Amino acid sequence: MANKRLTILAIATISYTASAFQAPIHSVAHTQTTPLFSSVPGRTDGDGSPISPPLSTLVNRVAVAGATGRTGKYVVQQLLDQNVPVLAMVRDVDKAANVLDPTNELLTIRQTDLGNKDDVIAALSDGGEKCEAAIWCATGFSDAPDQSIMDKLKAVFGLAVNAAATIDAVGLPALGEGLAHTPKRTVAMGSGQILPKVIMLSSAGVTRPDWNEEKKLALEGSAGIPIVRLNPFGILGVKKESEEKLRTCGVEYCIFRPCGLNDSWSPNQRPIFSQGDVAVGRINRQDVAKILVDILSTPEATGKTFEGISIANSQGYYPPASSIGPALGRLALDSDNNGKGPSEEVVRATYAICQQLLPGEKQDAAQLAMGQTYEQLDKDETGRLGVKGEEDVGSAGLTSTS
C-alpha cells in the first residue's frame, strides 16, 4: 500500500513540476539602511531608447543544457535566429536530430551526461570554439508527451533516493566551474558592464517550503499553491540548493524563476519581473526562452535572481518592452542586504502587488486544486483531478494547465 501511494505521488509530481514550475547605486535622497534596488547606468541612443548590440557580437558560442526540452528548443532557435553558434547538450542525439535542425551550420549537437561533472566541462570545448556562456534549461523531470511514464518515474525515484546526484546538483555547478575562469563578458571593451556567463532556468516557489509558519500564513497566496503544498521528495529544495551552488562557484550568473509555464497562455506578452519568490501566475515558454536569451546581452541581470510572469497585451496597450534592461536594473543584487537580497518589507509589498496580477476574477491561487485552472476556479468548476484536498492524483495527466 505504501509503494502504491508513493507511485501515485510520483505521478502527480511529474504532472505538475515542469509547469509549476548587485552593488546598488544610491541617490543622495536614498536614506534607507537596507538597499532595496540596484540600477546600472542606461545604455541609450540619441532618442533615449536602449541600445541592443547584436547578440552575435557579444558572445561567440553558447551551450544550452536541456536543448531538446519544451523550453530549451525555443532557446536554441532564438540563438540560431540571431546568428549565435550553439552547442546543444542533450541526452538523446536521435531525439535532438528530430527536435532541432541538424543541418544548421551554427548548431553542434553533443550527447552529454549532465550528471557527470567532467563530461559537462569537457563539452564546453568540444566541436568548435569554446563556449563563452551557457543557458541551463535542463531538469530531472519532464512533462513532454514523448517520454514514457517509466522514465518519468525513474527520475522521480532517483531524486528521492539521491537528490545530491541530480543533474541540477551536478551539471549546473559544473557549467559554472567550467566558465568561471574564462575572460569576463562585457557589453564593450572597458565598459565595466559585466554580462552573465551562466543563466539558470529555475522555478518560482523554490524558497517557499522553508518559510516560517507566520510568513506562509501572511503570504498564503504564494505559499498555498499546489506545487508548494505538495513538494514531493523536496524537489523545490533541490532547485534551491542548485541555485546556491551556482551563486558560490565564482562565475557571473543570472537566475530566472518563471511562474506556471503554460503553452495555452499567448506568447509575446509583457513580462513582469519581481523578487522575493512571491510571484504567482502564468507565462508562455516562448516568452521564457526570449527572456533567457535576452539576459545574455543584459548587464543589469548579472548577479540577480528574480521571478517572472506575463500579462496579456490587451488591445496592444501592454506590448513587451523593447529591452528588459531597465526593468531588471531596478531589481536588487543577490549580494544586497548582506547577501539576503530584498528586505522583508520589500517582499511583502511586492506580494501585495503580485496578487493583483493573478489571472481570473477570484485571484486566489491558494484555492486552486491541482489540475484546476483559474478559469475553472472563477466558474466554480472542478478541475480535472477533483476538488482541493481530494484530488485524484492517480489519474493525473502529463501536463499542468493551471
Side-chain angles (χ1 to χ4, degrees):
M1 187 64 181
N3 288 338
K4 181 178 179 181
R5 286 197 297 267
L6 186 59
T7 301
I8 290 174
L9 184 58
I11 295 172
T13 307
I14 293 162
S15 72
Y16 200 91
T17 300
S19 58
F21 335 77
Q22 331 167 2
I25 299 174
H26 302 292
S27 66
V28 174
H30 188 83
T31 59
Q32 307 235 6
T33 57
T34 300
L36 301 182
F37 300 101
S38 65
S39 61
V40 176
R43 298 164 287 136
T44 60
D45 58 20
D47 64 2
S49 301
I51 294 174
S52 297
L55 183 58
S56 59
T57 67
L58 297 176
V59 63
N60 64 2
R61 195 178 188 217
V62 177
V64 179
T68 60
R70 301 182 73 183
T71 303
K73 64 182 180 181
Y74 292 125
V75 170
V76 171
Q77 191 57 55
Q78 291 240 4
L79 290 167
L80 295 176
D81 287 346
Q82 297 186 54
N83 296 315
V84 176
V86 174
L87 170 68
M89 306 169 74
V90 303
R91 181 184 61 179
D92 187 336
V93 293
D94 291 331
K95 176 182 177 180
N98 291 322
V99 174
L100 308 176
D101 179 11
T103 66
N104 192 313
E105 296 181 353
L106 295 174
L107 176 65
T108 301
I109 298 174
R110 184 191 190 276
Q111 186 175 35
T112 308
D113 181 0
L114 296 178
N116 183 308
K117 173 183 173 181
D118 293 336
D119 196 32
V120 171
I121 294 176
L124 295 172
S125 300
D126 277 3
E129 193 171 2
K130 181 168 183 176
C131 296
E132 290 184 334
I135 300 178
W136 179 268
C137 300
T139 177
F141 294 89
S142 172
D143 59 355
D146 61 345
Q147 187 179 32
S148 73
I149 193 66
M150 287 307 300
D151 284 343
K152 295 173 186 291
L153 289 172
K154 287 178 183 177
V156 172
F157 289 124
L159 173 63
V161 173
N162 190 10
T166 62
I167 59 175
D168 293 278
V170 178
L172 178 62
L175 281 180
E177 181 178 330
L179 293 171
H181 302 294
T182 60
K184 291 186 181 297
R185 298 184 57 237
T186 60
V187 174
M189 187 69 69
S191 69
Q193 294 181 311
I194 306 299
L195 296 167
K197 293 179 185 176
V198 178
I199 300 165
M200 177 188 181
L201 172 59
S202 186
S203 172
V206 299
T207 71
R208 299 174 202 177
D210 295 334
W211 291 355
N212 61 43
E213 292 305 313
E214 184 277 329
K215 184 172 182 178
K216 287 180 179 178
L217 182 62
L219 309 183
E220 186 181 9
S222 297
I225 63 173
I227 185 58
V228 177
R229 292 199 307 267
L230 179 63
N231 191 25
F233 311 122
I235 176 59
L236 294 176
V238 171
K239 281 287 186 184
K240 178 186 174 185
E241 290 173 10
S242 300
E243 290 184 359
E244 292 171 350
K245 288 183 178 181
L246 178 60
R247 294 188 187 102
T248 58
C249 71
V251 73
E252 295 83 10
Y253 70 90
C254 175
I255 299 170
F256 178 44
R257 301 167 170 169
C259 293
L261 302 178
N262 191 314
D263 291 337
S264 298
W265 191 243
S266 297
N268 198 34
Q269 306 298 316
R270 176 175 293 185
I272 302 295
F273 302 112
S274 62
Q275 292 180 303
D277 198 15
V278 294
V280 180
R282 294 170 171 165
I283 189 169
N284 189 286
R285 286 179 175 84
Q286 294 181 51
D287 287 345
V288 170
K290 184 178 188 306
I291 291 167
L292 292 170
V293 172
D294 285 349
I295 287 171
L296 284 170
S297 58
T298 306
E300 295 91 341
T302 305
K304 297 181 182 181
T305 300
F306 51 90
E307 295 76 53
I309 62 169
S310 67
I311 58 173
N313 181 18
S314 178
Q315 300 181 6
Y317 288 114
Y318 293 96
S322 59
S323 169
I324 62 175
L328 298 187
R330 301 183 186 103
L331 300 181
L333 290 160
D334 290 348
S335 58
D336 285 352
N337 193 20
N338 295 320
K340 299 178 181 179
S343 68
E344 192 63 22
E345 291 79 7
V346 170
V347 170
R348 299 204 177 203
T350 302
Y351 170 81
I353 297 296
C354 287
Q355 288 293 295
Q356 299 177 63
L357 299 176
L358 286 170
E361 297 175 354
K362 291 187 176 180
Q363 295 188 314
D364 190 354
Q367 292 305 310
L368 286 171
M370 181 172 291
Q372 184 183 31
T373 67
Y374 290 98
E375 291 79 6
Q376 289 173 324
L377 183 65
D378 285 345
K379 298 175 183 178
D380 294 321
E381 295 177 353
T382 301
R384 60 189 174 88
L385 302 181
V387 298
K388 178 184 174 183
E390 301 178 12
E391 295 98 324
D392 180 13
V393 294
S395 63
L398 298 180
T399 60
S400 171
T401 58
S402 60

